[in-house]
Structure formats: structure tokens, C-alpha cells
Amino acid sequence: AFVSGSFDTAWQQQFGGLRISRLEGAKRAIVAVLSDTTLTSGANFGLMEWGWPFKYSYLNLRVPISSNGAKTIYTNVDGVRGYGGTYLLQAMNYAREYWRNGAQGYPSPRIPNATCQLNFNILISDGQWNNHSSAMSVVRDMKNSLNVKTFAVGFAVGTGNRSNYDNLADNGGTDDALYANSSAQLLTALTDAIKQAISGTLTFTTPAVMSEL
């Protein structure tokens, strides 16, 4: 989850010395990547907010996956708040339910038996989580039974705290986690994840799963 009110020099330097939070830096990176039509024209996007699952309606599908998703996220992401901790298990269960049966009145974007459709979660976080084994079981189930792979993007995550992210990427079928220590690096990581996805085929959907406090 994003640490509320946390600042570091890497984020600060990206915006001309302006002191901003990691969450604000992440929002700006997401807006920047969704401004690239060479990426957004090849996929449908959605946005899920996750983190503290017991307050403020977290585990929230802010933008359902659709052809207009990228455009909607462009303005919607500014409303994402930071609160709580990194509750990955609950988030993955919620994402799996959306892919399988739909959520919040929105249908699943997955087309059953459509082998040409590639589906991905892009999970962004700066935190560490508990219940790792249980969460990985859900991640594997999404990959194996629903054909939904998961990218892990960690930022401001120290080298000694990356094993869970690496394991998440491995269980999610994307092999290697991506890391960022600045807004520019986060933009690069998100761009790399999307390019890896669309290099297979242009017929797929990609939700950006965003961590919160």
C-alpha cells in the first residue's frame, strides 16, 4: 500500500523540487502512460482501488474494463485516496471475482473460451503484505482457470523487501517483477508491462490494479 504522507528525494526531484507523496507521483505516472495512444489503442483498461478493506469502501472497482477505460481513468485516478495497509489477499480475491463473475454491477470483461484474449492485472504497491501463500494461491488460480496473468510493480521498495514481488510475478505468469524509485521509472515500468502484454496480441484487456492506504 502507499504510505500516506511519505516523501523521498527521488519523487521530489521528478517534479522540479516540489514535495509530493508517492501516491501523487503514482497518479501522475498513470496519467502519463494513459496519454500514450500507442499503448492505449492496443488494450482496454480499468482501475481497481485496494488497500485497507475495512473502511471507505476500499476494494473498489473505480473504472470497469472497457474501450473507454483509459480515458475515464485519466480523470478518475485523481480521486484515489491513501489509507490503511497492504491487504493483497483481499484484493486478489476481489479481482478474481470480477474476472469470473463481474463486480459492482459490472459484468466480467473476460470472454469465456476466447483463447486469443489475453487478460492482465497490473498491481502497483510500495508495501509488504501478510497471508502471502494464500494470496499466491488466488493469483495462480486466476492464471490457470481464468487465463488472467498478473504483473507486479513495486516502487520505493528496498532491495531487501522484494522477494514477495518477485514471487507474485512468478505465480502470476509474468516471470519478473518491475521496480521503480521515481515517477519516471514508474512510468517506464508501467509502459514495459503494457508493451509486454500487447506484444502477444492486440485482443486483450488490462486492468491497472492500484494499491492504497
Side-chain angles (χ1 to χ4, degrees):
F2 294 115
V3 180
S4 180
S6 63
F7 303 92
D8 59 42
T9 56
W11 289 116
Q12 184 175 339
Q13 290 168 359
Q14 288 301 314
F15 296 100
L18 179 64
R19 190 171 182 264
I20 65 170
S21 68
R22 293 175 186 169
L23 176 57
E24 184 62 27
K27 291 178 182 179
R28 296 186 186 192
I30 290 171
V31 166
V33 77
L34 294 178
S35 301
D36 187 344
T37 57
T38 64
L39 300 176
T40 59
S41 63
N44 296 333
F45 288 83
L47 177 66
M48 175 181 161
E49 180 179 25
W50 68 280
W52 183 255
F54 310 112
K55 191 175 183 179
Y56 298 136
S57 300
Y58 270 72
L59 298 180
N60 179 28
L61 182 63
R62 295 186 64 94
V63 179
I65 295 171
S66 74
S67 59
N68 294 320
K71 183 178 180 179
T72 305
I73 294 169
Y74 189 89
T75 54
N76 183 279
V77 70
D78 192 54
V80 172
R81 295 162 294 180
Y83 189 89
T86 309
Y87 290 82
L88 182 68
L89 175 59
Q90 290 88 341
M92 292 295 93
N93 275 323
Y94 196 85
R96 178 172 61 178
E97 180 63 18
Y98 175 51
W99 283 111
R100 179 172 287 158
N101 298 313
Q104 296 175 216
Y106 298 109
S108 168
R110 190 174 63 92
I111 303 173
N113 303 316
T115 57
C116 63
Q117 184 189 35
L118 302 179
N119 308 301
F120 295 87
N121 301 312
I122 302 176
L123 184 140
I124 311 168
S125 178
D126 70 348
Q128 296 294 318
W129 51 83
N130 296 318
N131 301 310
H132 181 72
S133 295
S134 296
M136 294 307 98
S137 177
V138 178
V139 170
R140 287 193 302 273
D141 183 53
M142 278 193 282
K143 178 188 68 174
N144 295 332
S145 68
L146 300 174
N147 192 32
V148 178
K149 296 182 179 180
T150 300
F151 286 98
V153 181
F155 70 99
V157 176
T159 56
N161 297 313
R162 294 183 173 184
S163 60
N164 279 358
Y165 288 84
D166 295 335
N167 194 237
L168 173 59
D170 185 56
N171 280 277
T174 56
D175 298 332
D176 298 316
L178 303 170
Y179 295 99
N181 288 314
S182 71
S183 185
Q185 290 177 7
L186 182 57
L187 173 59
T188 298
L190 293 175
T191 300
D192 286 350
I194 295 170
K195 284 184 175 180
Q196 286 181 50
I198 63 178
S199 64
T201 177
L202 297 182
T203 309
F204 76 98
T205 52
T206 301
V209 181
M210 186 170 179
S211 174
E212 277 307 298
L213 289 188

